Amino acid sequence: MKKVVIMSILSFFAGSLAAQPLYKSKSFSVYSDKVVQGKFEAIATSSEAITSTYSAAASFPVKSKISFKLAINGQDNERGFGKNHTFYINPELSSQSTPVYVFGEAEPEVKSEEVTLTQDVNVTFRVDMRPVLTSIKEKGYYETFNKVKITADEYKGVFLAGGTLPLSWDFDNLVSRKVSELKDPDGDGIFELPVLFKKEVFPEGHVQDGSWKLSADLSSYPVVNHGQVLLDALYKKTLEELILDIRPDGALMAGKEWPGVWTRDISYSIILSVAAVNPEAAKISLMAKVKNGKIIQDTGTGGSWPCSSDRMVWAMAAWEVYLSTGDQNWLKSSFEIISASAKDDQKVILDQQTGLAFGETSFIDWREQSYPKWMDPKDIYLSAGLGTNVVHYKTYSLLGEMAKELGKNDEFTKVAASIKTAVNKYFWMEDKGYFAMYRYGRLFPSVLPKSEALGEALAVLTGLSDAERSKKIMESVPVYEFGVPTFFPQIPDMNPYHNNSVWPFVQAFFTLAGKQTGNTAVTEHGLAVMTRAAGLFLTNKENMVASTGAYMGTEINSDRQVWSVAGNLAMTYKLLFGLGYTAKGLTIEPTVPEAWASNRTLKGMKYRNSVVNLTVNGFGNGVKSVLINGKPAKSAFIPAGSTGEFNVEVTLNGKWPAGKMNLVDHVVQPANPVAKLESGKLYWEPVKGAVSYDVIRNGKKLKSIKETEFTLKPSKETEEFQVLAVDAAGVPSMLSEPVLVSPEKKKPVIVEIENETTEKEIPGFLGSGYVKLTKSQNLSVPVSITVPAAGTYWIDFRYSNGSGPINTDNKCAVRSLYLGKTYLGAIVLPQRGDENWKEWGWSGGVYAKLKKGKNSFKIAFDPWNENMNMDVNTALLDQIRLTPVGK
């Protein structure tokens, strides 16, 4: 009888505990067995099954810019990744047709204003398939851009893929979606497909109403029991998605919709958790991103590296693999790869003036989503992103550690120290308590005073910020109810993707930074929002809308995104079980919020030549006691050289003090003004919502005014002016494009670049022609220039590069500039449009101190100028410009 009573009491208390939420916000609650958000529920019916009734209700406007591709047999085979067609819908016409696109060919770049549709519009897409069909008829096959031959028997039709609903980038299912197939009823070789674009999409909501049941074999992975069935089920679901993300070649794909192996995606994934549980997949993935002994920067802005420059996150991932495995051969080979890549970056990426690393903000690589529209790829190269600089800092720090491990000379630690000093000097905003998102401008840069969640988290986790600043960062960075936004505040009139978004892998790093600084509020919130999203969505989505928490509404999304998968696993391994990998050994420092208290176990965790079985009792932000193989220990630590099995039991301290987190509402900044100079005055149109404007001179605030014009005072020096708008809440816009003002005696000196190889074939050049730079032509071009006065000059070039589109590919041209025998820095000549050599513009540049009179320069192709394509590194040079900027 007593036994029955005791069992009943235990059942009662267990039921009461299960009924109490682990976490509760205004909109959602997390329980031990379910997630509840309004009328929606995700319930773990067992540790191997979840059901969800989630409906991703999302009513959002549709933009006029339509990016799309044509796909034979529904495959991504028209052109390379990111090489899309663009069509701008005329919002005033309810029915219209596109130009006739030729399959596989690029059309001239069209520049138009992207606006919101005010009515439903029917667009007929048209494509000329005659070259394809003729090739199949005459040769028996058509060969795609990637050398795949499609025979007559294999050809099944042409389909339309795109990013605006009802179009889809889901190439795997285009054929089954018959609404995507273009037809040629009259047999003239011009295929057509009418598509209705609604002014708003998903007004009824997208209903998921699904379930998941474990089907994968998880026997090769650690076994976890959280004592909370929802977390147990999500752990197994996430491991299953990790397995599904492993390609036949053993490498990790980026996600369900992205079968490629991408440097930053797999690297951040490996850092978070993949190195710990599948180091072989980690190694294969990392080596897939190496070419000629150097790390690959994936296709990106302006033709990739050096406009995009965060490839060195590979180094952090490679180090994590070494820490997990102790593989000395891996350490040696990865050191050679990293050091070779870093030495190129020292010549091309590191700014000799500031010590910062040039290039796009890490992972935030859709330029319209994070930069003002006036910034072209050369401006993005000349900017300095927070996250990218932290990656470079950590890379050189790790190279120093690797060198010591291998008994080599350390020539890297001093470079890391220089970057660390520069970031803390130029990016820190004391009034906000965190680092700025990026530094931008032209001759006189300034910082964008936004938070950038990944960069802030990495600054804390890598030790770039000291303890005091790290604490402030985690207390001050703006956080939304559904997670930490990629950046804050948001950009107006821009659909969510990086803008107004939460990325689970970023949230994972931010949560771990909260753990490291002892911020309980940030830690518990991060664990809760990660659990909510994975539970309700029944997958680890790529991203979600920050302001609503819905996965529908972002520009692009994917299930089982590998870094989201890795971030979720990190919540188990690195947060709740507290695993930390160091050169000396494995540290075990769990952090468990009070409401999430349990006796949880982790069994079969491989660490180098040992296996760890771990039990964590209770809750707390620190360790109370430790048993290792049944014996008391001062700390839970497994030395790196250990072998055998370790049974570790950690009891936490039962402390969970209140933490501080900056929970904010959704905020959108004003649009940035477009300033023009006329007759000694700056003019700009009024900005919606603005109550005042700040006039910026040489990167610093000059005056705040309410008018939309400003009279400039005469100056004896070169000046650069910008304007930003400020709304009633004091939220500033991004800066306008710089306007250069030069006094008569300090006008830029512009000289034609000409030699015996001068060409005239491409129109648009000034003077008598241009010099073509290739990997075999004009490898050294001398230029002599006479300047009227000694001083500091900004040196850049008028050029053309039609090797690829402005937003992707890998053919950014790079050259070295010398003054006499002195290396001044890299001249970066980004792509300006696919086959659009008629589009001329100004390059990136360098500062140089020049003497009065004749100065002799040389434009050269050096080994460190190799771009990511390695075959095509071509640009047309028209002029060199020297702008005096100081004494």
Side-chain angles (χ1 to χ4, degrees), residues 56 160 180 223 255 279 386 389 414 439 523 592 659 783 834 886:
L160 185 67
S180 299
V223 177
L386 173 61
N389 270 270
K414 61 183 180 182
R439 193 168 182 260
T523 303
V592 179
V783 181
D834 198 11

Side-chain angles (χ1 to χ4, degrees), residues 772-843:
K772 185 175 184 178
L773 305 180
T774 72
K775 290 186 66 176
S776 60
Q777 187 176 356
N778 288 311
L779 299 181
S780 180
V781 179
V783 181
S784 293
I785 301 175
T786 299
V787 296
T792 300
Y793 288 76
W794 173 255
I795 306 171
D796 58 358
F797 294 81
R798 189 172 189 268
Y799 81 103
S800 171
N801 181 350
S803 297
I806 197 170
N807 65 325
T808 187
D809 216 332
N810 58 7
K811 303 184 187 80
C812 179
V814 186
R815 294 297 184 274
S816 297
L817 183 64
Y818 291 86
L819 176 60
K821 294 183 178 181
T822 302
Y823 176 69
L824 296 178
I827 299 301
V828 176
L829 309 149
Q831 298 166 184
R832 298 186 61 83
D834 198 11
E835 298 299 329
N836 191 10
W837 293 95
K838 300 175 185 178
E839 178 69 28
W840 298 82
W842 292 98
S843 71

Side-chain angles (χ1 to χ4, degrees), residues 319-578:
W319 178 246
E320 194 75 11
V321 171
Y322 168 68
L323 295 181
S324 175
T325 64
D327 186 337
Q328 286 290 318
N329 290 329
W330 173 258
L331 180 65
K332 291 173 185 176
S333 61
S334 59
F335 174 80
E336 295 301 324
I337 293 165
I338 298 163
S339 58
S341 307
K343 287 175 181 176
D344 284 357
D345 281 355
Q346 282 182 271
K347 290 286 191 179
V348 178
I349 298 295
L350 295 188
D351 182 356
Q352 297 181 35
Q353 300 291 316
T354 64
L356 294 169
F358 290 129
E360 195 166 46
T361 304
S362 183
F363 124 82
I364 307 175
D365 59 345
W366 189 336
R367 63 192 182 92
E368 296 92 345
Q369 285 273 336
S370 52
Y371 293 95
K373 292 180 180 179
W374 58 264
M375 287 182 70
D376 65 20
K378 71 98 176 8
D379 293 310
I380 291 175
Y381 163 72
L382 291 171
S383 70
L386 173 61
T388 298
N389 270 270
V390 180
V391 165
H392 283 279
Y393 156 71
K394 189 61 176 176
T395 294
Y396 290 101
S397 297
L398 292 178
L399 279 170
E401 288 193 59
M402 288 178 167
K404 292 174 186 176
E405 289 271 319
L406 295 169
K408 294 179 178 288
N409 182 46
D410 176 15
E411 54 185 295
F412 305 102
T413 301
K414 61 183 180 182
V415 181
S418 175
I419 298 173
K420 179 177 181 178
T421 299
V423 173
N424 278 279
K425 174 183 177 181
Y426 290 105
F427 280 78
W428 182 252
M429 301 182 294
E430 186 63 35
D431 60 328
K432 292 187 178 294
Y434 48 81
F435 291 109
M437 182 175 176
Y438 53 74
R439 193 168 182 260
Y440 69 132
R442 285 186 181 150
L443 301 185
F444 302 95
S446 57
V447 296
L448 180 69
K450 291 188 176 190
S451 64
E452 189 263 289
L454 179 61
E456 314 288 354
L458 293 178
V460 172
L461 291 167
T462 61
L464 181 141
S465 56
D466 61 26
E468 181 181 353
R469 284 189 173 179
S470 293
K471 181 176 182 293
K472 283 183 179 179
I473 289 168
M474 300 317 296
E475 292 177 345
S476 305
V477 168
V479 174
Y480 284 10
E481 180 185 8
F482 296 106
V484 62
T486 303
F487 51 77
F488 179 91
Q490 311 307 320
I491 298 172
D493 302 320
M494 183 67 63
N495 285 344
Y497 184 65
H498 292 128
N499 189 55
N500 187 18
S501 67
V502 172
W503 288 64
F505 94 93
V506 175
Q507 181 65 64
F509 278 114
F510 196 76
T511 305
L512 293 175
K515 173 186 185 291
Q516 182 164 303
T517 56
N519 190 312
T520 56
V522 169
T523 303
E524 187 166 13
H525 174 262
L527 178 59
V529 297
M530 293 283 287
T531 304
R532 180 204 79 93
L536 287 176
F537 303 163
L538 287 180
T539 186
N540 291 280
K541 283 286 187 183
E542 181 177 359
N543 50 51
M544 68 197 80
V545 180
S547 55
T548 66
Y551 66 81
M552 291 303 303
T554 65
E555 288 277 7
I556 303 171
N557 215 328
S558 175
D559 291 356
R560 67 167 201 266
Q561 194 75 3
V562 69
W563 50 16
S564 302
V565 168
N568 202 321
L569 291 175
M571 295 300 93
T572 289
Y573 300 139
K574 294 192 172 182
L575 179 66
L576 296 175
F577 286 102

Side-chain angles (χ1 to χ4, degrees), residues 872-887:
V872 178
N873 196 322
T874 301
L876 312 180
L877 283 192
D878 184 26
Q879 296 177 326
I880 181 171
R881 177 174 65 177
L882 292 79
T883 304
V885 292
K887 295 180 180 179

Side-chain angles (χ1 to χ4, degrees), residues 590-660:
T591 295
V592 179
E594 182 173 2
W596 304 66
S598 177
N599 295 332
R600 60 190 81 239
T601 58
L602 171 65
K603 295 181 179 180
M605 190 73 185
K606 296 175 184 177
Y607 169 64
R608 296 196 174 193
N609 294 315
S610 61
V611 175
V612 177
N613 302 312
L614 176 59
T615 299
V616 177
N617 300 318
F619 73 92
N621 63 350
V623 174
K624 179 181 179 182
S625 64
V626 178
L627 294 175
I628 299 180
N629 292 335
K631 296 180 179 180
K634 290 183 179 180
S635 63
F637 180 75
I638 310 299
S642 300
T643 59
E645 190 168 15
F646 292 85
N647 297 304
V648 182
E649 184 174 354
V650 174
T651 300
L652 297 178
N653 61 10
K655 297 178 181 179
W656 198 252
K660 182 181 178 183

Side-chain angles (χ1 to χ4, degrees), residues 162-424:
T164 302
L165 293 168
L167 303 183
S168 170
W169 291 118
D170 184 5
F171 288 97
D172 289 341
N173 295 300
L174 283 183
V175 173
S176 62
R177 297 175 78 246
K178 289 297 184 182
V179 292
S180 299
E181 186 175 4
L182 292 93
K183 299 287 188 179
D184 179 21
D186 58 8
D188 65 352
I190 308 300
F191 286 64
E192 297 184 350
L193 175 68
V195 178
L196 179 63
F197 293 98
K198 295 189 175 183
K199 64 179 181 180
E200 288 187 326
V201 295
F202 292 108
E204 303 299 326
H206 176 72
V207 179
Q208 177 178 281
D209 196 15
S211 62
W212 163 81
K213 187 175 182 180
L214 179 66
S215 59
D217 177 8
L218 307 182
S219 59
S220 62
Y221 290 88
V223 177
V224 166
N225 187 337
H226 284 289
Q228 291 144 345
V229 67
L230 176 64
L231 294 189
D232 289 338
L234 287 177
Y235 173 72
K236 291 176 180 177
K237 166 65 174 170
T238 302
L239 278 182
E240 183 173 78
E241 294 200 325
L242 178 63
I243 292 168
L244 290 170
D245 279 340
I246 299 174
R247 309 188 322 174
D249 63 1
L252 290 162
M253 66 178 71
K256 182 175 181 289
E257 309 298 337
W258 315 116
V261 183
W262 296 344
T263 303
R264 72 171 66 92
D265 297 52
I266 55 109
S267 296
Y268 281 123
S269 302
I270 289 164
I271 296 163
L272 282 165
S273 61
V274 174
V277 292
N278 199 330
E280 287 308 309
K283 290 178 183 178
I284 293 169
S285 302
L286 289 172
M287 292 310 298
K289 305 309 299 183
V290 175
K291 186 176 182 180
N292 291 351
K294 296 177 184 178
I295 302 163
I296 296 171
Q297 180 80 44
D298 289 315
T299 56
T301 295
S304 185
W305 186 89
C307 297
S308 298
S309 59
D310 66 342
R311 63 177 176 156
M312 301 309 287
V313 70
W314 192 101
M316 297 168 65
W319 178 246
E320 194 75 11
V321 171
Y322 168 68
L323 295 181
S324 175
T325 64
D327 186 337
Q328 286 290 318
N329 290 329
W330 173 258
L331 180 65
K332 291 173 185 176
S333 61
S334 59
F335 174 80
E336 295 301 324
I337 293 165
I338 298 163
S339 58
S341 307
K343 287 175 181 176
D344 284 357
D345 281 355
Q346 282 182 271
K347 290 286 191 179
V348 178
I349 298 295
L350 295 188
D351 182 356
Q352 297 181 35
Q353 300 291 316
T354 64
L356 294 169
F358 290 129
E360 195 166 46
T361 304
S362 183
F363 124 82
I364 307 175
D365 59 345
W366 189 336
R367 63 192 182 92
E368 296 92 345
Q369 285 273 336
S370 52
Y371 293 95
K373 292 180 180 179
W374 58 264
M375 287 182 70
D376 65 20
K378 71 98 176 8
D379 293 310
I380 291 175
Y381 163 72
L382 291 171
S383 70
L386 173 61
T388 298
N389 270 270
V390 180
V391 165
H392 283 279
Y393 156 71
K394 189 61 176 176
T395 294
Y396 290 101
S397 297
L398 292 178
L399 279 170
E401 288 193 59
M402 288 178 167
K404 292 174 186 176
E405 289 271 319
L406 295 169
K408 294 179 178 288
N409 182 46
D410 176 15
E411 54 185 295
F412 305 102
T413 301
K414 61 183 180 182
V415 181
S418 175
I419 298 173
K420 179 177 181 178
T421 299
V423 173
N424 278 279

